[in-house]
Amino acid sequence: MVSQFRQETHEFVPLKEEYEGKKAELGKTEAEIQEMIQKRRLKIEEIKHSVDLSKEAADREKAEGVQVFTALMESVERSLNELIETIEEKQRTTEKQAEDFIKELEQEISELKKRSSEVEKLSHSEDHLHLLLNFPSLKAAPPTKDWTEVSVCPSYVWTVMRAVTQLEEKLSEQINKLLDAEMKKVQQYAVDVTLDPDTAHPDLILSDDGKQVQRKIVTDSTERCSHCPSVLGKQSLSSGRSYFEVLVNTETNWDLGVVRESINRKRQITLSPKNGYWTICLTDRKYKANDDPSVCLSVGGFLMRVGVFVDYEQGLVSFYDLYPAALIYSFTGCSFTEKLYPFFSLGPSDDGNDDNHLTICHSY
């Protein structure tokens, strides 16, 4: 039997060369690990800093809250004291009126008793002429007051209701002052937002200054939103606080707010925070917040000018009605991990008018 042997060749690398190669790889690996460690240390410092900022904000808000509620409680206490004083004054007036009525009634009773005594005495008289002469004057009842409709039963319900209404007006005044102060706070973070033509839907056209969007026809772009007539702002919001205002059309269906950079711009998608949209809208003359689930909004009349405020670190997106100053809705507890962009979308006009638009107001 003949055995066949296959000769295999092996490539040999000098030990020192292999050592140096592996050492270099380990050095690279070590550098990568150190870089990862450094990034995580920086993240720890970032989180700690965020906690410090949050604590400062919480302390500040608590102090302001204590101040506001102290003023409100003092206002309520003053209103309560005024109400009690009003009721007590009214009760004193009622008691005085009752005393006067009682005195008058007792006076009439006294006079009636006197007349009763005279009538009884005359009725027992045997003097015929005397009875006939005095009969006309004694037959008629003495002049007295008609007490049928007289009462002393005051109602304090309207007094309380009036006091509550006045208190409500005072509280409303305080709330308006707070909202005005809040608006001044958020407006200091105003950013100059312009529309990005590269993201505009083909049915939209932008003004030359990039501040107004209307439903028209424009050319296509690879970055363009094609699933709905929408457009993004050029400026990204990726840290700190930002604020911008938009004039909205009361006859137009629209969506307004902010979106994350990675939204799908090419297909129909539900506008909601889980899909990267933090928006409110006007649809069929009804206002809604596109939350999970959507929330119907109660606003006074029609929105004309809407303020949008973003606090990136706090995960907050708030919408304000500027006429009068009022908070419309807030998305809270959001977790932002990428850039946000202002978002504007136009639907069909309720009155069939093609001249519907959204206009970004100039910064403060």
Side-chain angles (χ1 to χ4, degrees):
M1 185 177 200
V2 179
S3 298
Q4 295 181 349
F5 295 94
R6 183 167 56 87
Q7 185 175 1
E8 296 181 357
T9 60
H10 297 277
E11 183 177 349
F12 293 95
V13 178
L15 180 61
K16 184 176 181 180
E17 184 179 337
E18 181 71 8
Y19 166 79
E20 294 296 338
K22 297 302 182 184
K23 186 175 181 181
E25 288 183 20
L26 287 174
K28 183 180 179 181
T29 301
E30 174 64 14
E32 291 174 351
I33 292 173
Q34 290 300 322
E35 183 180 359
M36 293 173 65
I37 291 172
Q38 183 62 20
K39 284 182 178 179
R40 280 152 180 78
R41 283 175 175 166
L42 290 174
K43 193 64 179 179
I44 290 173
E45 293 303 314
E46 179 185 329
I47 293 172
K48 287 181 177 179
H49 182 61
S50 296
V51 171
D52 291 338
L53 291 177
S54 178
K55 186 177 184 305
E56 289 174 6
D59 291 341
R60 184 171 59 252
E61 293 300 326
K62 281 193 295 184
E64 291 181 1
V66 169
Q67 183 179 357
V68 169
F69 274 86
T70 299
L72 290 176
M73 287 188 290
E74 289 175 354
S75 179
V76 170
E77 188 174 358
R78 282 195 302 270
S79 296
L80 177 59
N81 291 334
E82 289 171 5
L83 172 61
I84 292 172
E85 178 59 32
T86 300
I87 292 175
E88 290 178 348
E89 178 62 31
K90 193 170 183 179
Q91 177 62 20
R92 286 192 291 268
T93 301
T94 298
E95 290 175 358
K96 179 63 170 62
Q97 187 181 42
E99 289 176 3
D100 293 340
F101 286 157
I102 291 171
K103 286 180 180 178
E104 193 174 348
L105 284 165
E106 288 177 341
Q107 180 64 33
E108 289 189 358
I109 289 172
S110 178
E111 293 177 359
L112 287 171
K113 283 183 176 181
K114 182 178 178 182
R115 177 62 61 90
S116 175
S117 176
E118 292 175 351
V119 169
E120 184 181 3
K121 182 178 179 181
L122 183 61
S123 67
H124 289 90
S125 174
E126 297 295 334
D127 187 339
H128 298 75
L129 181 59
H130 177 71
L131 186 146
L132 293 173
L133 291 174
N134 290 280
F135 177 79
S137 60
L138 294 177
K139 180 180 182 299
T144 56
K145 183 176 182 177
D146 183 2
W147 294 92
T148 306
E149 302 298 328
V150 175
S151 67
V152 282
C153 186
S155 172
Y156 297 104
V157 174
W158 295 109
T159 305
V160 175
M161 288 183 64
R162 184 165 56 252
V164 171
T165 301
Q166 292 173 348
L167 177 60
E168 186 179 20
E169 292 173 354
K170 291 179 182 177
L171 292 177
S172 179
E173 183 180 341
Q174 290 294 325
I175 290 171
N176 287 335
K177 287 181 180 179
L178 287 173
L179 286 170
D180 288 339
E182 179 67 17
M183 289 308 305
K184 286 182 173 61
K185 281 184 183 179
V186 299
Q187 286 171 344
Q188 68 179 314
Y189 301 106
V191 293
D192 186 16
V193 174
T194 53
L195 301 169
D196 185 357
D198 289 337
T199 66
H201 185 276
D203 290 345
L204 299 178
I205 188 169
L206 314 183
S207 61
D208 291 338
D209 63 358
K211 292 293 185 179
Q212 188 175 91
V213 54
Q214 293 178 277
R215 288 176 64 91
K216 297 293 179 183
I217 303 296
V218 292
T219 57
D220 199 8
S221 165
T222 57
E223 299 300 316
R224 197 174 307 286
C225 299
S226 59
H227 66 278
C228 66
S230 59
V231 61
L232 305 183
K234 277 186 177 182
Q235 295 74 18
S236 65
L237 315 175
S238 56
S239 64
R241 298 168 180 172
S242 306
Y243 176 82
F244 60 93
E245 293 180 2
V246 182
L247 287 174
V248 297
N249 194 315
T250 60
E251 301 298 329
T252 302
N253 294 322
W254 49 260
D255 293 87
L256 172 64
V258 295
V259 298
R260 65 184 176 216
E261 185 177 28
S262 63
I263 60 168
N264 191 315
R265 308 180 189 186
K266 297 299 180 183
R267 65 181 178 86
Q268 187 69 34
I269 194 167
T270 301
L271 304 190
S272 67
K274 69 179 180 182
N275 291 326
Y277 294 79
W278 292 269
T279 60
I280 63 171
C281 68
L282 171 62
T283 304
D284 298 327
R285 295 181 180 272
K286 295 179 181 177
Y287 296 99
K288 293 193 305 180
N290 297 315
D291 209 335
D292 296 315
S294 62
V295 178
C296 291
L297 302 176
S298 177
V299 300
F302 288 102
L303 295 177
M304 299 294 292
R305 185 163 175 158
V306 177
V308 184
F309 175 67
V310 177
D311 190 327
Y312 195 92
E313 281 74 23
Q314 293 298 320
L316 172 69
V317 180
S318 294
F319 297 85
Y320 295 90
D321 180 2
L322 277 297
Y323 303 118
L327 177 65
I328 302 171
Y329 191 77
S330 287
F331 293 90
T332 59
C334 310
S335 179
F336 301 133
T337 57
E338 55 185 278
K339 293 179 180 178
L340 302 178
Y341 286 88
F343 174 81
F344 312 86
S345 179
L346 278 172
S349 174
D350 287 336
D351 60 3
N353 183 4
D354 289 334
D355 188 25
N356 46 25
H357 57 270
L358 296 174
T359 305
I360 302 170
C361 304
H362 291 286
S363 300
Y364 290 84

